Amino acid sequence: MADLSVRVGALTLRNPVMPASGCFAVEYAEALDLNRLGALVVKSVSPDARAGNPTPRVAETASGMLNSIGIPSKGLDAYRRDVLPAYTRFDTPVVVSVSADTAESFGEACETLSLPEVAAIEANISCPNLEADGMAFAMQAESTYKAVSAIRRRTSHPLWVKLTPNAGQIALIARAAEDAGADAIVMGNTVLGMAIDVRTRKPKLGNVMGGLSGPAIKPLAVRLVHQCHRAVRIPIIGCGGIETADDAVEFMLAGATAVQVGTASFRDPAVMGHIVDGLDAYCGANDVERIATLTGAVALDAQLSDRWLRFAQQSG
Amino acid sequence: MSVVSLTPNNATRPLARVPSPTCHPHEAQPDTTACGSAAGHLVATHRCRVLTHHAVNARYRYLRLQADAPVALTTRPGQFYQLKCPVTENDAPFLLRPMSVYGTGPEPDTMEFLYNVTGVGTRALATLTEGASLDIVGPLGNTFTLDTQWQRVMVVARGVGLATMAPLVQRAAAAGLRLTVVMSARSEADLMRDEFLRSPEARALADVHCVFDSDGSSAVAALEPRIRALLAAAPHDAVYTCGSHRLLMLLQRVLAAHPEITGEVAMEQRMACGMGVCLSCVRLFDCDGDKQFLRVCREGPVFAIRDVVGEVDFG
């Protein structure tokens, strides 16, 4: 049996597999042993109560799905009282995901949730920033720095910052999160998308636009993880279209220390257990003693482009 | 008179559901909510073999599966499974498709579905040949309330509601309850009376009323007085429906005059996970004056007809 443990900042996880926030709830305990996972990442909570978006909230796409759930929330008190205890009963670190409208309320919410039973806080700064006309904090390096700094001032808990694939210049944004004190980066979130029913001419989502997830976005997410890996020293948790152990290994080779599994659980509620088993099998088959050594181990040939250019010139 | 739920109690739950002594998933969530009740079954992916698969009529197809576990013993009327429809040359369904169970048994590992080909998933499903493999996830959702001491119940079905309520009809008939059955269809050719009242007991106990779009008898204006008359003619203990929002709203109006009658509906909604995780399948309910969104896959699919908030139709 290979050593599947990984370190994300100060936190040691028994293996690199955890659910993605929004695609996980304690109901999966009926289909899967939650004590086998690396961490439990709970659905995002926002300080203000909100009902979520109108239905339909989900639409199928090629090798993926669009969703516009809208982070329904009953606020922090109800979350701590009614939601969190269901997750902290397991022998697995619990990560709370927080979403807020302003940098200040982000900081307040993360302070409130810096509880002893919470192992880490994931700040979902991919959500709309009311101070910038609804543009997500993580769309720009400056607003990323501001939001993460505001949170860092209010908590000493391990802080993971979830970035968005919708941003350009991801290296600058990742570096801004690191500079502001993030302990890890979660890369990434859903990709903004839209689908229309050609018969009714109506958008397929009640909220018109939504987030694309699933295997359709995996190459995009692997690229972003790799770019972040080149830009920062803090660990990266890869996320986007992971369905198999090979997918998880691919993210680790690109630079991820751990991975989050989202949409795949909707197709097979036991899939995270299969991925853990598959990682062990991969290590066994490939003589990998410690899975942590896979992080960033993509075989890059730094001179390839130079040699190719010379070859191309010779060939006329 | 005690009203029993068809949901199995804790004693019948498989022990394998609790993976380790440190994990207490049952305590981690409430068993019931203000309205609706949680499922509480062991959910698993079952590899199935297609035993029988054929067209029933121009609209419906019948599918009989043999699973790798005794699913017939743990599946209750109203519950559903998520089907992993195959990928074909023309269709690549990504999400699983929720489908209510049309029948179980007689063998402990066999189960039946009755479905309409409406889109990518069911079109792909329709290509499955006998002997092919199909993965299903479940059982999911809650079940209808039925007291075997009751005397008479009414069932109002249209469209896919027929498949959802067929196991309830079998259960009621097996207990000797008399049935008032209202079947609504586009035309006589679409009606599946024999498929709905599958057993000799059900056919003997049922007083059947068929209404059609083709002759206008299924219109709300024509049907509402007819249902009021049926409920006035004989005492009913419960009314069940599924498959039509218009019929649901009609029954909600009618039941206002009959507070003694239990009314239940199996709801439908677009869903992704089927287990209460993704929150995509919510609908609005009025639970003792408190309006809340409940998950059709988890708190339902069976809800009290009186609790449904009708004016919100998100399609």
Side-chain angles (χ1 to χ4, degrees):
Chain A
M1 178 108 186
D3 178 5
L4 296 185
S5 69
V6 294
R7 282 179 62 88
V8 179
L11 213 60
T12 300
L13 311 180
R14 64 167 70 90
N15 65 58
V17 181
M18 68 184 87
S21 169
C23 299
F24 180 68
V26 76
E27 282 83 354
Y28 278 148
E30 293 175 13
L32 162 83
D33 181 356
L34 302 188
N35 288 321
R36 292 196 64 213
L37 301 180
L40 305 180
V41 186
V42 189
K43 205 177 275 283
S44 287
V45 60
S46 66
D48 301 322
R50 45 188 179 197
N53 289 334
T55 56
R57 290 176 167 186
V58 62
E60 188 173 79
T61 62
S63 295
M65 60 173 258
L66 281 165
N67 88 80
S68 63
I69 307 297
I71 313 184
S73 175
K74 290 181 178 169
L76 299 178
D77 290 343
Y79 179 82
R80 189 179 173 183
R81 187 183 63 239
D82 304 331
V83 178
L84 209 47
Y87 297 87
T88 54
R89 288 159 187 260
F90 297 93
D91 182 28
T92 303
V94 170
V95 180
V96 298
S97 171
V98 180
S99 151
D101 293 337
T102 66
E104 196 52 36
S105 70
F106 239 126
E108 276 174 36
C110 290
E111 182 175 13
T112 305
L113 291 171
S114 296
L115 304 162
E117 65 268 32
V118 170
I121 292 170
E122 179 178 293
N124 175 15
I125 62 166
S126 311
C127 47
N129 172 9
L130 288 191
E131 290 157 346
D133 285 336
M135 188 170 69
F137 295 98
M139 286 297 286
Q140 292 182 331
E142 196 182 324
S143 46
T144 295
Y145 186 87
K146 196 177 164 199
V148 177
S149 300
I151 299 167
R152 186 76 287 175
R153 281 195 292 273
R154 307 288 285 264
T155 181
S156 54
H157 256 56
L159 175 60
W160 302 356
V161 175
K162 186 164 177 172
L163 303 184
T164 171
N166 298 318
Q169 298 190 297
I170 200 69
L172 294 180
I173 292 166
R175 214 171 287 142
E178 181 180 38
D179 291 346
D183 294 301
I185 281 164
V186 181
M187 187 75 245
N189 208 321
T190 55
V191 181
L192 196 60
M194 180 173 170
I196 302 168
D197 185 321
V198 295
R199 280 169 295 276
T200 64
R201 301 191 180 188
K202 288 180 182 173
K204 288 188 175 176
L205 294 177
N207 202 43
V208 184
M209 289 180 272
L212 181 65
S213 62
I217 69 163
K218 200 189 85 177
L220 176 63
V222 171
R223 182 265 293 178
L224 289 165
V225 164
H226 189 61
Q227 285 181 300
C228 289
H229 176 68
R230 288 171 172 226
V232 299
R233 292 168 183 275
I234 53 177
I236 296 152
I237 298 159
C239 181
I242 296 170
E243 291 203 318
T244 66
D246 279 2
D247 293 337
V249 169
E250 193 178 342
F251 271 84
M252 293 188 76
L253 293 173
T257 295
V259 295
Q260 294 186 344
V261 178
T263 304
S265 291
F266 296 166
R267 303 217 295 158
D268 176 2
V271 75
M272 285 187 282
H274 301 323
I275 294 174
V276 173
D277 292 339
L279 288 178
D280 188 48
Y282 173 90
C283 290
N286 293 280
D287 296 325
V288 176
E289 284 180 22
R290 290 176 51 242
I291 200 164
T293 60
L294 295 178
T295 296
V298 55
L300 296 175
D301 186 338
Q303 280 80 47
L304 177 65
S305 53
D306 288 347
R307 279 189 282 119
W308 174 258
L309 202 58
R310 281 200 300 278
F311 172 79
Q313 283 164 350
Q314 285 163 17
S315 68
Chain B
M1 182 159 54
S2 68
V3 176
V4 295
S5 166
L6 300 180
T7 305
N9 59 27
N10 282 320
T12 62
R13 282 178 188 159
L15 292 172
R17 190 155 173 253
V18 182
S20 87
T22 55
C23 156
H24 307 285
H26 303 306
E27 295 170 25
Q29 61 200 351
D31 277 331
T32 55
T33 59
C35 53
S37 62
H41 290 279
L42 177 72
V43 176
T45 300
H46 299 288
R47 173 58 55 93
C48 299
R49 193 166 66 91
V50 177
L51 295 175
T52 313
H53 193 191
H54 57 76
V56 177
N57 58 22
R59 297 177 61 79
Y60 280 87
R61 294 184 65 82
Y62 170 85
L63 175 66
R64 181 177 177 79
L65 301 176
Q66 181 176 41
D68 58 6
V71 289
L73 306 180
T74 55
T75 306
R76 308 292 164 212
Q79 286 194 299
F80 67 99
Y81 280 77
Q82 290 250 73
L83 276 58
K84 190 169 191 176
C85 301
V87 171
T88 68
E89 201 173 315
N90 298 316
D91 295 299
F94 178 72
L95 294 170
L96 309 188
R97 293 300 193 269
M99 196 173 284
S100 42
V101 177
Y102 169 57
T104 53
E107 298 84 7
D109 58 354
T110 56
M111 195 163 33
E112 302 161 296
F113 296 93
L114 197 62
Y115 69 97
N116 192 357
V117 177
T118 56
V120 171
T122 43
R123 205 158 55 219
L125 190 68
T127 66
L128 280 181
T129 54
E130 287 174 11
S133 290
L134 173 69
D135 284 348
I136 66 172
V137 179
L140 301 165
N142 67 355
T143 184
F144 293 102
T145 306
L146 180 84
D147 186 334
T148 53
Q149 301 302 308
W150 283 344
Q151 299 298 309
R152 178 182 280 276
V153 297
M154 175 184 279
V155 181
V156 183
R158 183 178 167 95
V160 287
L162 183 141
T164 310
M165 288 194 291
L168 174 70
V169 167
Q170 293 311 305
R171 178 84 170 77
L177 272 67
R178 276 166 294 163
L179 296 153
T180 304
V181 174
V182 179
M183 296 185 69
S184 174
R186 291 186 185 191
S187 68
E188 188 128 24
D190 279 348
L191 194 75
M192 293 193 287
R193 184 178 172 141
D194 290 343
E195 282 76 12
F196 192 40
L197 306 170
R198 304 181 71 183
S199 63
E201 295 83 9
R203 286 192 288 275
L205 289 161
D207 170 25
V208 184
H209 303 262
C210 302
V211 295
F212 304 105
D213 300 358
S214 52
D215 63 8
S217 57
S218 68
V220 169
L223 191 55
E224 187 160 337
R226 199 163 163 185
I227 285 180
R228 286 185 192 277
L230 287 169
L231 289 176
H236 286 74
D237 298 293
V239 174
Y240 307 95
T241 191
C242 178
S244 160
H245 189 73
R246 287 191 316 155
L247 288 181
L248 166 63
M249 291 296 99
L250 183 161
L251 290 174
Q252 194 174 62
R253 285 193 300 275
V254 168
L255 284 175
H258 295 275
E260 76 287 359
I261 298 180
T262 298
E264 289 187 336
V265 55
M267 303 283 279
E268 295 164 22
Q269 183 61 289
R270 185 83 53 90
M271 51 180 76
C273 76
M275 284 189 69
V277 173
C278 72
L279 307 184
S280 60
C281 66
V282 296
R283 295 189 72 134
L284 195 60
F285 294 88
D286 186 333
C287 308
D288 298 327
D290 180 22
K291 290 233 174 48
Q292 31 178 296
F293 287 106
L294 297 177
R295 300 165 293 185
V296 170
C297 72
R298 187 75 186 184
E299 281 82 44
V302 179
F303 295 93
I305 289 174
R306 297 173 214 280
D307 291 344
V308 176
V309 176
E311 65 267 29
V312 178
D313 186 5
F314 292 126

